[in-house]
Amino acid sequence: MATHSAAARIGELRTLLHRYGHQYYVLDQPEVPDAEYDRLFRELQALEEAHPDLQSPDSPTLRVGGQVLDGFIKVRHQVAMLSIRTETDIEATGAQNFDGRVRRELGLAADAAPVEYVAELKFDGLAINLRYENGVLMQAATRGDGEIGEDVTQNIRGINQIPLRLPADAPPVLEVRGEVYMRRDAFAALNERQREKIALGAKGEKTFVNPRNAAAGAVRQLDPAISRQRPLSFFAYGWGEITPAEQGGPAFETHYQTLLTLRSWGFPVAGQTSLATGADDLIAFHQRIGKERDQLPYDIDGVVYKVNSLALQKQLGFVTREPRWAVAHKYPAQEQLTTVEAIDVQVGRTGKLTPVAKLAPVFVGGVTVTNATLHNEDEARRKDVRIGDTVIVRRAGDVIPEVVSVLPGKRLPGAEPFTMPRICPVCGSAAVREEGEADYRCTGGLFCKAQRKEAILHYAQRRAVEVEGLGDKLVEQMVDANIIQTLPDLYKLGLTALTALDRMAQKSAQNIVAALEKSKSTTLPRFLYGLGIRHVGEATAKELARHFGKLDSIMDATEARLLEVSDVGPIVATSIRTFFDQPHNREVVEQLRACGVTWEESEPAAQTPKPLAGKTFVITGTLPTLSRDEAKDRLEAAGAKVAGSVSKKTHYLVAGEEAGSKLVKAQELGVAVIDEAGMLALLA
Ligand code: IVH
């Protein structure tokens, strides 16, 4: 009797969890809060533990857990998993070749009606066959050689977007085919976690080359617990065996209708999937998706066109292992091989030193690439990129091209490992790497020529000191012509120097001189902000001015005194101190004052204590509402120190979703672990 009611409750819970899971993972429209889902999930887990005989292959609890395998079992596909022919012409008009072939093979006259197609995305992941029997996911297999694949059911169950159970109108046998892939953000987060693990000395860990590789690795991972830490997604685009209409199965007539039905059964089908009439629509689709490609949250390497009518598909048939009714139409590849001609170190706007590989020009992801970032010292060392190396470059989405890996065995003899310079390659100031930071920065500030142009534009912008009419082009000309070495030179420019610049009319030069004159009377917050001290934004500049009242007090304040300012945390305090410790930055300030830049000063404001002063935090994983930077800012503004790694000195670890090694370390050391809500409570 007790078992009967347990069985009923188990059934109820599974149904609810299937529904909520689908709403959350597929529709992006959750009906209940996460906590409610978790509560039901735990109730089900407990009931199943107490009644192991009631476990079932479609239970949502099987999405977590599972056994470490020795190897994968081979699976013979009931219906072969075919591959697809690739159109070699990558121009949009290449679609005409496919339409032309289809029309010829169907024997259509030139004036016959256009053929109807379905245009889809070509996802860059790996093909999977999902077999459902009586509505329950029984087996998931990789494509393998098309005839025989591998049973990866355990890992595939962990993909929340894949239904474990189908609605009652699904046929008794249904095989759904589609692509398992990893989103670009999940890929970036995974690699970030991997880098963290490597930095903490974890053995046998590596970063992944691209999302497809990471997805394939996760699917073919023998330990389901590891597979689960690498979040995967799924899109359905086809099917294999299916109960025939004569035996009560669905009577599909078109590919499109089938996809819509799969969607109604809970499978994700990409929103871009469209009906297309004739070659013109295919061309337009290729063009449109080509433009959207960089904005998609996942990699695609092309689009796929399929004849919509299943009867026509049958008529067209196959050549070897490729159907005549489908074609893949690619976009420029996102990865290419090239060689490293040099490794430069570039100095960015904020003084950040970035090692950049200078490449033999190569066409990647639709553009010719000659530079690829190596990110920072650790990355460059880890990838061990050396001059002369043959490397894989990747450019996907809007991100800057990066060197993915070096081809071993192609290294030239005598190639030296890369070392990061300890002085700024542009101005010779010290380059320093702060604790817990990955980057080196030039400490030269306004003195550094590489930063000068940005520094001047920053100073001259409306929200800073405001020099009307001093824009991008003009500043570039001034810096290139070497008539401005430091900020104060702006005020020493005469009409003669200005009119000597290319395309500078007398009248414009007069306007600039007048604007410069006007800019001399400003306010302390505007001036402070205009100096472009790292981490000192407008709000911080205002607080500093309010707190200290006078510029000299700020310039001479110790870090401890700076920390008293609300809005100033340890990183900001150090940054201000470092800036004013550079004699050339003080010189710049003195000269600006000497040139007549003035503001009103006031008395220092009364002090307010900071609630989290003296506490050290570490943030890890993805927080539900705040970015890590936002969380860090808030903590620092409340006086806390935010460190990069967990140690005995850490007071709190703020852990979000997919917290990795830091969480483990915190637990080992007995450091208090809180979530975002806990952090916000402390801040309040
Ligand atoms: S259809 C009979 N549609 O591309 C046609 N494949 O060789 C079977 N792929 O490994 C494939 N997106 O994993 C089809 N919308 C899509 C696809 C797609 C990606 C992959 C598939 C297969 C390869 C085709």
Side-chain angles (χ1 to χ4, degrees), residues 84 87 91-92 94-96 98-99 117-120 276 281-287 303-307 325-329 331:
I84 201 168
E87 170 55 50
E91 294 299 314
Q96 275 160 345
F98 172 61
D99 181 56
Y117 299 102
V118 178
E120 301 175 5
D281 279 3
L282 297 182
I283 294 171
F285 185 81
H286 188 274
Q287 275 167 341
V303 291
V304 177
Y305 313 132
K306 296 173 183 171
V307 169
W325 45 264
V327 78
H329 195 183
Y331 293 112

Side-chain angles (χ1 to χ4, degrees), residues 82-84 120-123 126-127 143 179 237 304 306 323 325:
L82 301 167
S83 75
I84 201 168
E120 301 175 5
L121 304 182
K122 187 167 190 301
F123 312 104
L126 72 156
R143 176 168 177 265
E179 199 86 346
Y237 55 65
V304 177
K306 296 173 183 171
W325 45 264

Side-chain angles (χ1 to χ4, degrees), residues 525-605:
R526 279 168 171 270
F527 182 77
L528 258 182
Y529 173 58
L531 289 177
I533 304 166
R534 190 162 172 248
H535 300 302
V536 177
E538 266 182 291
T540 308
K542 277 185 190 146
E543 271 313 305
L544 284 166
R546 200 184 62 85
H547 187 96
F548 289 100
K550 297 179 171 59
L551 181 64
D552 288 324
S553 317
I554 301 172
M555 285 170 60
D556 296 334
T558 58
E559 283 190 30
R561 286 289 320 274
L562 290 164
L563 281 168
E564 288 164 10
V565 182
S566 72
D567 219 43
V568 172
I571 291 180
V572 185
T574 307
S575 170
I576 298 169
R577 207 44 275 138
T578 312
F579 184 89
F580 288 119
D581 280 344
Q582 300 283 321
H584 39 249
N585 287 339
R586 298 182 84 96
E587 176 69 22
V588 161
V589 170
E590 285 330 310
Q591 285 192 26
L592 286 170
R593 285 205 267 216
C595 288
V597 179
T598 57
W599 55 86
E600 257 180 54
E601 303 214 314
S602 57
E603 288 310 308

Side-chain angles (χ1 to χ4, degrees), residues 301-340:
D301 56 351
V303 291
V304 177
Y305 313 132
K306 296 173 183 171
V307 169
N308 192 26
S309 155
L310 300 185
L312 290 184
Q313 281 190 8
K314 209 165 169 190
Q315 197 179 323
L316 285 159
F318 304 86
V319 210
T320 58
R321 312 180 48 84
E322 295 169 351
R324 285 202 190 86
W325 45 264
V327 78
H329 195 183
K330 300 245 183 157
Y331 293 112
Q334 293 175 321
E335 282 171 19
Q336 291 291 358
L337 280 183
T338 187
T339 53
V340 177

Side-chain angles (χ1 to χ4, degrees), residues 184 289-298 300 334 365 367 395-399:
R184 285 188 200 130
I289 300 298
K291 287 200 195 90
E292 285 172 19
R293 182 189 190 195
D294 279 355
Q295 271 79 53
L296 292 173
Y298 44 81
I300 58 167
Q334 293 175 321
V367 300
R395 180 194 168 271
D398 283 335
V399 291

